Amino acid sequence: MTYIPKNMNHYAHAAMNLINMDSENRVVLNVGGIRHETYKATLKKIPATRLSRLTEALANYDPILNEYFFDRHPGVFAQVLNYYRTGKLHYPTDVCGPLFEEELEFWGLDSNQVEPCCWMTYTQHRDTQETLAVLDRLDLDTEKPSEEELARKFGFEEDYYKGTISWWQEMKPRIWSLFDEPYSSNAAKTIGVVSVFFICISILSFCLKTHPDMRVPIVHNVTVKTANGSAAWFLDKSMTNAHIAFFYIECVCNAWFTFEILVRFISSPNKCEFLKSSVNIIDYIATLSFYIDLVLQRFASHLENADILEFFSIIRIMRLFKLTRHSSGLKILIQTFRASAKELTLLVFFLVLGIVIFASLVYYAERIQPNPHNDFNSIPLGLWWALVTMTTVGYGDMAPKTYIGMFVGALCALAGVLTIALPVPVIVSNFAMYYSHTQARAKLPKKRRRVLPVEQPRQARLPGERAPGGVSGCGTPGSGPHSGPMGSGGTGPRRMNNKTKDLVSPKSDEYTTMIGKPRDGKKSRLL
């Protein structure tokens, strides 16, 4: 028989008590099949969160394995648990941003607590979502919409569900697709080709009718008296008009444009949006200018300044912007300039600043030394020279003659190159971003499998079974007596879903008040 001293028994009991106390202070979390073990005090560092208010009365607690199960993303939870341990929230690079935000919302954490080292990487998905929203507004998708989507778009959704669609409600979307969506069908492509053909013919005719060989002179027979009193005559070429063929070409083209804009207006789903569209404004102003020009030629051709009124017909050149309906690349290019408005404004500001500075410098530099052939007689003339030099055009009509003026000219050219080159990469990157997203959207599968939002409920415990543990804190077996299924008064299992309230549901008023965004912009303090 082995003799065991009493003090050794005392030390063994003390060691066993320490081990039991340590095990009671630990909690096991099974997240997505991966078990994590930590101390309860660690989860208490960030109050009013899901993990800080764990209780064995929850439906996801397994008393046999003594663990809490969460069917969530295990990779994100590793960073969440590390946030409880260190107080620093880092963003995993192998997880998409919206998924990370959804996981943080589930665990009751604020996404603004991400560390500065990960902030730029984390917020990239927000820029991507803004880009995709812009592309949705540009209507670059060539997928044919369903009948339900068409009914919703044209405002007869109720008639569609009732089955009382009239013939006009059925024909209106088809007519709109033919004239406004060139890629919706083969017939729409044909009409699109015809529209582009008339646009090109109209602009080509507008340009060619100004060529001297394409104009017909107006000749008048002028009779004069000679010195001996006899009468003589000669032909006087007073002016020239465009050939009559160009008038007929313009009539045919504008007849098509008038027909097209009327059909599109009648069949448009929203008349106000149609009238406010910038491309449509150009379309009906250009068409209207043709009819105004006809009226002026008929009733105001005798006026001396009647030719000046033809200047307003230049609006017809703007019909080129109608090609944006037929080319996604032009839409992306226009959107790129819109997105780069700040950079373009900054470019113009620095150009104006440099032009004024170098125009003043070259004006006084050319006057310091004797210069009989000075081209810079005033600062406004120097503004033109500075603009041409900074934009690296250099017409050569004005040039400095003195050495100091040449030095100023060299500085002006270098400053212009640097000023123009700085915003260009930003504009190029914006165009590449929009274009790459457009190409990616075009390659996406049109139909995807639908995932039903069904949650597998957890099996309830048998009646009369007692759930060990208390209600408060991260309880362990024996930490507090309570009776009934899943404890807490025998009200049955509590599931964490949207229909039933949970003890730690982030949607509760108390939870929202406690974990709301910090008012002073500071991070939440760890306890």
Side-chain angles (χ1 to χ4, degrees):
M1 182 176 181
T2 306
Y3 173 73
I4 301 177
K6 292 183 178 181
N7 55 353
M8 291 297 294
N9 272 335
H10 177 72
Y11 291 149
H13 283 295
M16 291 299 296
N17 289 334
L18 290 176
I19 294 174
N20 291 334
M21 290 177 60
D22 184 71
S23 62
E24 291 178 357
N25 291 329
R26 287 182 292 177
V27 61
V28 179
L29 305 172
N30 187 341
V31 180
I34 299 179
R35 302 176 77 252
H36 301 266
E37 189 170 359
T38 185
Y39 288 101
K40 301 175 187 177
T42 302
L43 303 181
K44 293 290 186 179
K45 288 183 178 181
I46 306 178
T49 57
R50 187 178 294 273
L51 294 179
S52 67
R53 306 183 68 180
L54 290 178
T55 171
E56 294 179 6
L58 297 177
N60 58 346
Y61 174 71
D62 192 338
I64 299 176
L65 300 177
N66 192 22
E67 66 180 17
Y68 296 88
F69 177 76
F70 296 94
D71 190 15
R72 308 299 298 186
H73 196 284
V76 177
F77 182 75
Q79 300 299 330
V80 171
L81 189 57
N82 185 67
Y83 179 41
Y84 280 88
R85 291 168 177 164
T86 63
K88 296 181 179 180
L89 181 60
H90 293 278
Y91 172 68
T93 57
D94 58 340
V95 175
C96 190
L99 174 61
F100 185 70
E101 287 183 345
E102 183 181 352
E103 292 295 315
L104 291 183
E105 182 181 1
F106 174 81
W107 298 112
L109 300 176
D110 187 6
S111 59
N112 293 327
Q113 306 297 322
V114 176
E115 290 298 308
C117 60
C118 301
W119 184 256
M120 291 300 296
T121 307
Y122 163 64
T123 53
Q124 285 181 356
H125 74 281
R126 299 180 181 177
D127 299 333
T128 303
Q129 289 175 338
E130 293 178 359
T131 303
L132 295 177
V134 169
L135 295 179
D136 288 337
R137 292 195 299 269
L138 292 179
D139 195 16
L140 299 176
D141 195 2
T142 59
E143 182 183 0
K144 187 176 181 179
S146 62
E147 294 182 357
E148 183 178 357
E149 292 174 348
L150 288 176
R152 188 181 301 111
K153 180 179 180 180
F154 284 85
F156 51 87
E157 188 176 3
E158 295 182 0
D159 295 336
Y160 172 77
Y161 289 128
K162 293 179 182 178
T164 58
I165 299 178
S166 62
W167 68 271
W168 173 243
Q169 289 176 337
E170 186 177 355
M171 292 298 299
K172 188 176 180 180
R174 298 181 182 179
I175 298 175
W176 174 258
S177 299
L178 282 176
F179 285 87
D180 198 75
E181 299 174 358
Y183 300 100
S184 59
S185 63
N186 292 330
K189 291 179 181 179
T190 303
I191 294 179
V193 171
V194 172
S195 179
V196 172
F197 172 76
F198 279 113
I199 292 173
C200 296
I201 291 297
S202 175
I203 294 174
L204 186 63
S205 172
F206 180 80
C207 297
L208 288 180
K209 72 180 182 180
T210 60
H211 195 277
D213 296 337
M214 301 290 181
R215 300 184 69 85
V216 178
I218 299 178
V219 180
H220 297 282
N221 188 0
V222 180
T223 303
V224 296
K225 290 184 178 181
T226 61
N228 56 7
S230 62
W233 60 274
F234 67 94
L235 297 178
D236 181 25
K237 178 183 175 182
S238 60
M239 59 181 299
T240 60
N241 286 335
H243 196 277
I244 192 64
F246 292 108
F247 172 74
Y248 294 116
I249 293 174
E250 285 288 332
C251 289
V252 173
C253 293
N254 281 276
W256 167 260
F257 296 142
T258 305
F259 170 74
E260 183 184 24
I261 197 171
L262 287 177
V263 171
R264 292 178 62 240
F265 176 76
I266 294 173
S267 62
S268 63
N270 191 327
K271 301 295 188 297
C272 294
E273 293 295 331
F274 181 86
L275 293 176
K276 291 188 295 184
S277 175
S278 56
V279 177
N280 293 333
I281 291 174
I282 294 173
D283 195 6
Y284 50 72
I285 288 180
T287 306
L288 187 63
S289 68
F290 170 75
Y291 296 105
I292 294 176
D293 192 18
L294 285 179
V295 175
L296 292 177
Q297 287 181 4
R298 177 67 178 84
F299 298 102
S301 59
H302 61 281
L303 298 178
E304 294 182 358
N305 298 326
D307 294 338
I308 301 177
L309 300 175
E310 293 184 1
F311 173 77
F312 296 99
S313 62
I314 199 173
I315 192 67
R316 300 173 195 174
I317 298 293
M318 305 297 289
R319 278 203 180 102
L320 284 172
F321 287 99
K322 289 181 62 177
L323 298 178
T324 56
R325 293 194 293 111
H326 308 276
S327 174
S328 60
L330 289 177
K331 290 183 180 180
I332 295 173
L333 183 61
I334 294 175
Q335 181 59 37
T336 300
F337 286 116
R338 289 179 181 174
S340 308
K342 294 182 179 179
E343 289 77 12
L344 292 174
T345 305
L346 190 64
L347 171 62
V348 173
F349 172 75
F350 281 116
L351 273 178
V352 172
L353 186 64
I355 288 170
V356 174
I357 292 175
F358 286 107
S360 303
L361 289 177
V362 77
Y363 171 73
Y364 289 105
E366 288 292 288
R367 296 168 63 90
I368 292 177
Q369 298 179 2
N371 185 9
H373 304 288
N374 185 10
D375 295 329
F376 302 90
N377 297 322
S378 64
I379 292 181
L381 290 176
L383 294 176
W384 165 252
W385 169 85
L387 174 63
V388 171
T389 305
M390 291 192 71
T391 54
T392 67
V393 177
Y395 290 116
D397 54 343
M398 299 175 62
K401 304 298 190 302
T402 63
Y403 291 107
I404 300 178
M406 294 177 184
F407 179 72
V408 173
L411 292 180
C412 181
L414 291 175
V417 171
L418 294 177
T419 302
I420 296 176
L422 288 178
V424 169
V426 179
I427 300 174
V428 173
S429 64
N430 287 338
F431 180 81
M433 176 183 63
Y434 286 117
Y435 188 78
S436 60
H437 282 295
T438 304
Q439 296 298 317
R441 284 163 56 93
K443 296 178 181 179
L444 283 176
K446 302 301 180 182
K447 296 182 179 180
R448 295 188 178 185
R449 177 174 293 180
R450 185 179 179 184
V451 180
L452 299 177
V454 179
E455 183 179 357
Q456 182 67 27
R458 201 175 160 82
Q459 185 177 359
R461 296 176 185 174
L462 297 176
E465 181 181 355
R466 299 176 62 87
V471 177
S472 61
C474 301
T476 54
S479 59
H482 56 275
S483 61
M486 297 298 292
S488 184
T491 57
R494 298 178 179 175
R495 295 186 178 90
M496 301 167 63
N497 52 31
N498 295 330
K499 295 182 179 180
T500 58
K501 293 185 178 179
D502 190 80
L503 292 178
V504 293
S505 173
K507 304 298 182 181
S508 63
D509 296 336
E510 178 186 0
Y511 185 87
T512 306
T513 304
M514 297 181 69
I515 69 163
K517 294 183 179 179
R519 296 180 180 178
D520 54 353
K522 299 180 180 179
K523 295 186 176 182
S524 57
R525 182 174 60 88
L526 300 182
L527 299 181

